[in-house]
Amino acid sequence: MHVFDWDLVRSTSSVHVLMQLAAERGMSAAACLSGTTLAPEAVIDPNAEVSAREELRVLRNLLARFGDEPGLGVETGRRYHLSLYGPWGLALLSSRTLRDAVEVALRYVDLAFAFGRLDFDESDELARIRFDDSEIPEDLRSFLTERIMAGIHTIGQDMFATGLPMAAVRFRHPAPADTARHRAVFGFEPEFSSDINELAFDAGYLDMALPQANEWARATCEQLCRDLLSTRRARMGVAGSVRDLLVRNPGQLPDQLTVATLLFMSPRTLSRRLRDEGTSFRSLVEEVRQVMSEELLTRTDMTTEQVAARLGYAESASFIRAFRRWKGCPPQEFRGRELAARTPVRRELIAVPNTGNVMSGSLR
């Protein structure tokens, strides 16, 4: 059974859309973000992230003011263009066919801004994208369902110059008092009070070549999606909370009793929760030490002894043995290899004439 993780983190792009919507209606950024840990400046930070739970808080703030506005969900969804989604959107845009794009979209759907489960079905010459809204709180259900359905339609328009004509649009919730926005977005009157939430279109579109297909770009963006999901999931659940506590001061790693107390549970419960997530306290300590050791060796001039002490080892010999187990070589050999691998790149950059700006960054 699918269970949505409300602690799932995503970029703040979606919250930024909600804040723009609120600002257009005279609602301040502070009021929109009330009850969250977000500051207005963090929402436009490309490196900032927000949990699904906090985005719901922003949604409730917005709907408390404007929830009676008919079609607000579809009005919001039509603003969710592919450019908002980072590598996930680029992977879709560069896919060979729409069928490939749908497969990529569902494989990495946790990088999108959906709340609930998306499924795909092909039957009776129709392709159907269905949305299960059963886990969404009732007070937000119709808004979020309309947002995701209109958002999918917007993505179809971004991928095809002429858009993706819909054969049917169905919602489980009753029709609002005014459906003008729904007709404007989808091109016809959707079906309300249906058994399912569904978008249907001619299955013949599935194997049409996409205009911006690029296999290299798609493969690269898929790898970025995998890396991003792996990084975000590492911070989720009890294991993520333990990691956060361990990295606060790696030189004085707290023991399991201390961590359990900070997480308001017994050591036995902590062990069980970590076991359910496929890990253990000892494994997490080792993981933190390994990652921190690589960072300290490649980004600082600290000696092996200093790194060992920084990571809480009583003697450097214990650290060296552990590092050999992790990387297959002693710490200083690892440092030498990493620095040697980076040196040619630096020299090449230095030799480039000053003909323009050098930019660096990362997709999120």
Side-chain angles (χ1 to χ4, degrees), residues 304-305 308 313 315-326 329-332:
T304 298
E305 290 74 18
Y313 286 92
E315 54 183 26
S316 59
S318 299
F319 166 59
I320 293 172
R321 285 195 298 272
F323 197 88
R324 280 183 178 275
R325 187 172 68 253
W326 299 330
C329 65
Q332 292 305 321

Side-chain angles (χ1 to χ4, degrees), residues 18 21 24-25 62-63 66-80 142-151 171 173-186 189-190 192:
L18 298 176
L21 202 74
E24 290 170 7
R25 289 157 174 75
L62 181 70
L63 295 182
F66 312 111
D68 293 336
E69 186 179 321
L72 186 61
V74 291
E75 167 62 25
T76 308
R78 62 184 287 272
R79 302 179 184 214
Y80 281 71
S142 61
F143 175 90
L144 285 171
T145 300
E146 291 187 358
R147 187 182 78 167
I148 186 64
M149 303 294 259
F171 293 108
H173 56 267
D178 184 355
T179 60
R181 278 180 171 160
H182 300 76
R183 294 193 301 274
V185 169
F186 299 112
E189 182 83 14
F192 292 92

Side-chain angles (χ1 to χ4, degrees), residues 246-302:
L246 291 174
V247 299
R248 286 182 182 179
N249 187 0
Q252 297 178 357
L253 292 176
D255 59 20
Q256 186 166 346
L257 175 59
T258 302
V259 170
T261 302
L262 290 170
L263 295 177
F264 304 100
M265 62 180 74
S266 69
R268 178 175 295 181
T269 299
L270 176 60
S271 294
R272 178 176 55 79
R273 296 282 296 275
L274 292 175
R275 186 169 59 251
D276 291 343
E277 294 181 13
T279 188
S280 67
F281 185 79
R282 184 174 180 177
S283 296
L284 293 174
V285 170
E286 183 123 326
E287 177 188 314
V288 167
R289 280 176 162 168
Q290 179 180 342
V291 172
M292 289 296 297
S293 67
E294 293 177 23
E295 288 289 308
L296 293 172
L297 287 167
T298 57
R299 298 181 184 275
T300 76
D301 295 327
M302 294 173 68

